[in-house]
């Protein structure tokens, strides 16, 4: 069956449905199956091909239309819709265009409205950019015209059903066993850890893995723009999500609002999914006022660049002298972990550095582990996360937690 035949059959099925009655999922599926079996255009199709068209027709009414098989495909990690006619997917690190399209721009807009309404958000021409999520936790970013020139644009970042453990990250070569052991002891000892990295470097995946080391008897508050963290080992967990303003410009709840509110919820730790702006100051103050063991992430190309970005974020929301901002960073964050997506598309921990203090007004970092590239083999980068000769300098939290210093 050609795409044009599919569009015609879908239109005929829609016209044949009784608009005055609401069909259950099973009733709709049964109706579609009967229509497909009776359709002469599919008389030469195999049973497998007919099942494929039944599924696709059903998804076009109750699922995410042409996106549903892609969302369910575990091999697809990212779905990029540039317009209703142009869809790309990422599979095993490779981005390719696929021969799939929506029947019309209006149909894509309908799917977008279904997604955003499911998380009580709104997107339209006056507010054309929104972050949302699917039921399975996949992160969704939407941009509408006139901002998006080709038409409605949507990017879906998928996450595994079960978050990767640190052991699995070691197995696939993202970091060494020695580095993973150190990070486990640092998390348990309540060191404040900040994860930096570029887009698609695996910050959220790594944050989920780190969170599995949090003792299960602690109370944890997570704060995100769009909820995507999968912390499964902490029973006493509260997940908070920001809210956009309504059509009247009222009712917005920002990350800053949620951080301030979380301080009154008796958290042992606060996990901020990502800092992007003035909320960086609130996060640093929370880390520095009795909420040790807090975790967060941010976009940067290196650890040094992340420090500069944090300075800019804080200064964007507060008129503070730069030396005071740097003192806040040095006294709040204990360890930086930097992730990179290398040219072979692998995601690796490339640096773990301790914040040792200030020197001549600058935040001083002491590398604990650095990634050393040794060449390539079969298209894959060969290298190791090598330990520095200088160990951890600030060991007071380790001692207080009864952890080994070695």
């Amino acid at each position: 069956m050609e795409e044009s035949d599919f569009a015609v059959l879908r239109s005929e099925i829609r016209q044949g449905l009784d608009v005055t009655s609401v069909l259950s999922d099973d009733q709709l599926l049964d109706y579609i199956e009967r229509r497909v079996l009776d359709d002469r255009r599919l008389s030469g199709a195999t049973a497998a091909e007919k099942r494929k068209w039944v599924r696709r027709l059903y998804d076009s009414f109750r699922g995410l239309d042409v996106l549903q098989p892609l969302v369910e495909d575990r091999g697809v990690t990212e779905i990029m819709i540039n317009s209703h006619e142009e869809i790309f997917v990422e599979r095993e690190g490779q981005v390719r265009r696929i021969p799939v399209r929506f029947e019309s721009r209006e149909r894509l807009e309908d799917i977008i409205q279904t997604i955003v309404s499911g998380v009580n958000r709104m997107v339209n021409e006056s507010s054309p950019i929104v972050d949302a999520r699917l039921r399975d936790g996949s992160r969704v970013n939407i941009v509408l015209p006139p901002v998006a020139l080709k038409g409605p644009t949507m990017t879906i970042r998928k996450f595994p059903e079960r978050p990767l453990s640190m052991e699995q990250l070691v197995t696939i070569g993202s970091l060494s066993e020695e580095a993973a052991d150190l990070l486990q002891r640092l998390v348990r000892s309540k060191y404040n850890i900040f994860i930096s990295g570029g887009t698609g470097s695996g910050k959220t995946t790594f944050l989920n893995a780190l969170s599995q080391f949090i003792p299960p008897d602690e109370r944890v508050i997570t704060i995100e723009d769009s909820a995507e963290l999968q912390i499964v080992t902490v029973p006493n967990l509260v997940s908070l999500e920001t809210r956009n303003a309504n059509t009247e410009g009222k009712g917005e709840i920002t990350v800053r609002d949620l951080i301030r509110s979380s301080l009154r919820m008796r958290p042992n730790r606060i996990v901020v999914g990502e800092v992007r702006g003035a909320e960086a100051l609130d996060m640093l103050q929370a880390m520095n006022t009795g909420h040790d063991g807090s975790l967060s992430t941010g976009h940067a190309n290196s650890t040094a660049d992340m420090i500069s970005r944090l300075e800019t974020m804080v200064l964007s929301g507060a008129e503070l002298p730069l030396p005071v901002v740097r003192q806040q960073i040095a006294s709040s964050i204990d360890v930086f972990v930097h992730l990179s997506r290398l040219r072979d598309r692998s995601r690796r921990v490339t640096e773990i550095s301790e914040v040792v203090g200030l020197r001549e007004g600058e935040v001083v970092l002491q590398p604990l582990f650095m990634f050393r590239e040794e060449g390539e083999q079969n298209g894959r980068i060969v290298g190791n996360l090598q330990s520095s000769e200088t160990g951890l300098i600030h060991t007071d939290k380790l001692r207080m937690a009864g952890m080994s210093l070695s």
Side-chain angles (χ1 to χ4, degrees), residues 209-232:
L210 273 185
S211 72
Q212 296 170 19
F213 297 141
I214 298 175
D217 60 345
E218 295 188 5
R219 178 171 170 82
V220 177
I221 312 293
T222 67
I223 297 168
E224 302 172 83
D225 272 328
S226 183
E228 58 193 55
L229 289 174
Q230 297 172 287
I231 299 179
V232 296

Side-chain angles (χ1 to χ4, degrees), residues 256 260 277-282 284-285 310-326 328:
R256 298 194 75 174
R260 292 168 182 172
E279 70 272 7
L281 176 60
D282 300 276
L284 293 174
Q285 290 177 336
L310 282 172
E311 294 171 1
T312 303
M313 291 177 194
V314 172
L315 292 172
S316 70
E319 294 183 4
L320 295 174
L322 184 57
V324 173
V325 175
R326 289 176 175 170
Q328 279 278 355

Side-chain angles (χ1 to χ4, degrees), residues 124-147:
N124 50 43
E125 285 191 5
S126 60
S127 180
I129 302 175
V130 70
D131 289 319
R133 67 180 185 278
L134 303 181
R135 291 179 181 178
D136 64 358
S138 298
R139 183 174 66 198
V140 182
N141 174 263
I142 296 165
V143 183
L144 296 184
V147 177

